Amino acid sequence: MSLNRRLFLQQLGTTIGAAALGNILFPSHASGKEFFNPDPVSPPINASDEDFWAWVQESYTVSPNIINLNNGGVSPQPKVVQDMFEKYNRLCNEAPSYYMWNILNQGREALRADLALFAGCSPEEIAIDRNTTEALDTIIYGFPFKPGDEVVLTKQDYPNVINALKLKEKRDGIVLKWVNLELPMENEDDIANAYISQFNEKTKLVNITHIINWIGQITPVKKIAKAAHERDIDVMVDGAHTFALLDFRIPDLDCDYFGTSLHKWMCAPFGSGLLYVKKDKISKIWALYPDANPLGDKITKFEALGTRSFASEMAIGGSLDFHLAIGSKRKETRLRFLKDYWANKVKNLPGIHIRTSFKPEYACAIGLVSVDGKKPGEVVQYLFDEYKIHTTGIEWENISGVRVTPNVYTNLRDLDKLVLALGKLSENMKK
Ligand SMILES: Cc1ncc(COP(=O)(O)O)c(C=O)c1O
């Protein structure tokens, strides 16, 4: 057995063991900060060691009959996380208010501490919520805007964020300053300058999508944030696609607010997310679902969400353990390898165009491909009907194509099938 595979199994064994023992009061994530190393594996980066990745693939329960290449939408959970969720959920059903509030709730601060350690910030800056939408809406609706205040955003940001800001424009008279990016872009200064050119003395907030979901473009957040802060502008980051995909810590970005969905790259239960608010900004933001002190300086003021799934929240700890068993850098490298694997094989086929950068600074797992003479929806339908490959069609602003997103459980045979399918489309074009 290779050293890497043995390491992975050892680490995974710890996670599975904790779940199987099922000590509810001391779940695996409550092991305590002093025992918790945020990135325990310093792996040789074995992005193409299929022997190793086969074991990761085996940890999932994905359908063998459908090739899911839309992990950009939402990710499946490894079996160990599903088990943890089901165990907690069953327990809650024995006596909900007792097991939810009295028992499972004891894991909340330990989970917060573990997430904070992984995110590289203080637990006092992490609120556990349900998704990116909720996290960023908390900032958008809670920010103390006055009429005429300006917000910089792009046409390529996520619709939920755009719509919340448009609501604020209609209802409260803020002004939206739009950037239109021609993606893909491979020059940091060009991307940063597109935002910076919209800044002025009225600008109060900039929204930066860390990975733009439509094509997988990575943006130079830190550069834009530096320019924003020099002008006293707050920085909100949409990190739906970067947390647990790219190997970084939130403070590296120099942002004030960061929202993410843990059901994406962390592979946590559906409906789990987090909001980071820099310590000195907490009291500035009105809580969306307020506790008794909506302008207080405690991060927990953002968690008065009412009753929700404690099973989902507490099983986040299992997905964090699983993620760490692989290791952040190794996962990022593997996902970039998978995206380049299929994209390189089709990029020179007649009529097929890759719309995502091949440079590691500008793209990772997500790739967009377009086919001459075919609408994205037609290609999506063909891939599913003929090959049972599930992807998603993108037609948004100046972007058109089919988005392909593998995950750690994706094997090369599945990607070869995608390559074959796109090859057939290309051949048929010549006829
Ligand atoms: C860039 C971006 N932001 C926000 C979201 C919203 O995520 P959620 O539906 O988990 O709130 C998505 C979802 O795909 C996204 O791609």
Side-chain angles (χ1 to χ4, degrees):
M1 188 188 286
S2 74
L3 179 65
N4 291 333
R5 195 205 296 178
R6 193 157 51 231
L7 257 177
F8 176 71
L9 288 176
Q10 268 167 15
Q11 308 235 358
L12 189 60
T14 314
T15 306
I16 292 167
L21 281 173
N23 185 335
I24 299 302
L25 286 172
F26 301 99
S28 62
H29 58 265
S31 50
K33 212 170 170 176
E34 62 277 22
F35 304 118
F36 186 89
N37 178 350
D39 237 328
V41 201
S42 315
I45 302 294
N46 50 356
S48 60
D49 177 354
E50 294 315 303
D51 184 39
F52 171 83
W53 290 101
W55 286 90
V56 177
Q57 287 148 17
E58 283 304 306
S59 307
Y60 285 79
T61 60
V62 297
S63 166
N65 306 317
I66 291 178
I67 299 175
N68 178 19
L69 292 178
N70 186 19
N71 291 279
V74 59
S75 288
Q77 296 132 48
K79 176 139 190 339
V80 63
V81 176
Q82 296 175 46
D83 289 349
M84 218 175 254
F85 169 82
E86 281 158 21
K87 180 184 67 181
Y88 291 157
N89 200 42
R90 267 197 301 276
L91 188 78
C92 290
N93 278 295
E94 288 185 21
S97 65
Y98 174 72
Y99 282 110
M100 284 164 68
W101 303 112
N102 294 7
I103 303 298
L104 287 191
N105 207 30
Q106 293 184 50
R108 168 169 292 272
E109 293 314 313
L111 173 61
R112 188 192 315 282
D114 285 353
L115 283 170
L117 199 59
F118 177 69
C121 59
S122 157
E124 291 168 23
E125 298 175 308
I126 293 284
I128 301 162
D129 69 6
R130 292 174 292 199
N131 52 52
T132 311
T133 303
E134 189 164 63
L136 299 185
D137 279 1
T138 297
I139 304 306
I140 293 168
Y141 295 122
F143 197 93
F145 289 117
K146 291 192 294 303
D149 283 349
E150 293 188 3
V151 176
V152 173
L153 73 166
T154 79
K155 301 251 178 203
Q156 291 74 25
D157 288 334
Y158 193 70
N160 290 5
V161 177
I162 290 178
N163 291 336
L165 286 167
K166 280 186 172 168
L167 183 152
K168 289 288 291 177
E169 184 180 43
K170 275 201 188 118
R171 193 177 67 184
D172 299 329
I174 66 166
V175 176
L176 303 185
K177 301 292 280 200
W178 294 93
V179 173
N180 194 11
L181 299 170
E182 284 297 331
L183 302 174
M185 291 173 83
E186 297 185 329
N187 182 309
E188 277 202 359
D189 290 331
D190 287 350
I191 304 171
N193 288 336
Y195 289 79
I196 295 166
S197 65
Q198 296 296 326
F199 293 168
N200 65 51
E201 66 289 348
K202 292 192 200 138
T203 315
K204 293 289 179 275
L205 182 72
V206 55
N207 177 57
I208 310 170
T209 307
H210 194 184
I211 281 189
I212 296 177
N213 53 295
W214 314 114
I215 78 153
Q217 172 81 43
I218 299 177
T219 55
V221 172
K222 194 171 179 170
K223 198 164 243 181
I224 304 164
K226 182 168 181 292
H229 286 145
E230 281 164 7
R231 294 161 176 81
D232 231 1
I233 299 168
D234 279 9
V235 176
M236 178 171 87
V237 173
D238 179 341
H241 277 288
T242 50
F243 197 73
L245 173 61
L246 303 183
D247 182 23
F248 72 104
R249 303 287 173 258
I250 295 175
D252 298 346
L253 305 177
D254 196 16
C255 62
D256 302 292
Y257 318 105
F258 179 97
T260 195
S261 301
L262 300 172
H263 48 239
K264 287 189 186 285
W265 293 102
M266 186 62 89
C267 297
F270 307 127
S272 58
L274 71 77
L275 167 67
Y276 160 89
V277 181
K278 202 169 176 200
K279 186 80 183 107
D280 61 358
K281 299 283 175 172
I282 295 175
S283 55
K284 175 175 180 174
I285 304 292
W286 292 88
L288 184 59
Y289 310 105
D291 68 358
N293 191 6
L295 279 181
D297 62 0
K298 297 270 177 297
I299 193 76
T300 46
K301 78 177 184 185
F302 297 117
E303 291 181 350
L305 306 178
T307 308
R308 66 275 201 181
S309 170
F310 276 51
S312 284
E313 283 188 352
M314 289 303 117
I316 293 170
S319 59
L320 181 56
D321 284 350
F322 186 86
H323 173 89
L324 293 171
I326 295 175
S328 296
K329 192 73 205 161
R330 178 154 51 195
K331 180 166 166 182
E332 174 185 335
T333 310
R334 169 67 172 179
L335 285 161
R336 196 170 277 118
F337 166 79
L338 291 178
K339 177 253 180 184
D340 287 349
Y341 178 88
W342 72 266
N344 270 318
K345 289 192 175 196
V346 301
K347 70 178 181 197
N348 294 324
L349 295 176
I352 307 280
H353 309 279
I354 298 297
R355 305 290 183 190
T356 302
S357 174
F358 282 92
K359 296 193 174 157
E361 314 91 277
Y362 298 107
C364 185
I366 298 173
L368 190 79
V369 58
S370 67
V371 180
D372 286 349
K374 297 247 179 260
K375 292 204 163 99
E378 291 174 307
V379 179
V380 167
Q381 197 66 49
Y382 157 80
L383 290 173
F384 194 78
D385 289 350
E386 303 292 326
Y387 295 93
K388 291 291 168 283
I389 297 174
H390 172 61
T391 53
T392 187
I394 304 288
E395 289 196 79
W396 181 260
E397 294 290 341
N398 50 359
I399 300 166
S400 175
V402 173
R403 191 181 71 182
V404 174
T405 318
N407 205 329
V408 286
Y409 64 82
T410 305
N411 65 50
L412 298 188
R413 279 173 286 118
D414 291 345
L415 294 179
D416 287 337
K417 213 177 242 185
L418 173 73
V419 170
L420 178 81
L422 291 172
K424 286 261 163 65
L425 273 185
S426 170
E427 258 172 43
N428 289 343
M429 253 178 254
K430 287 187 264 166
K431 287 181 190 157

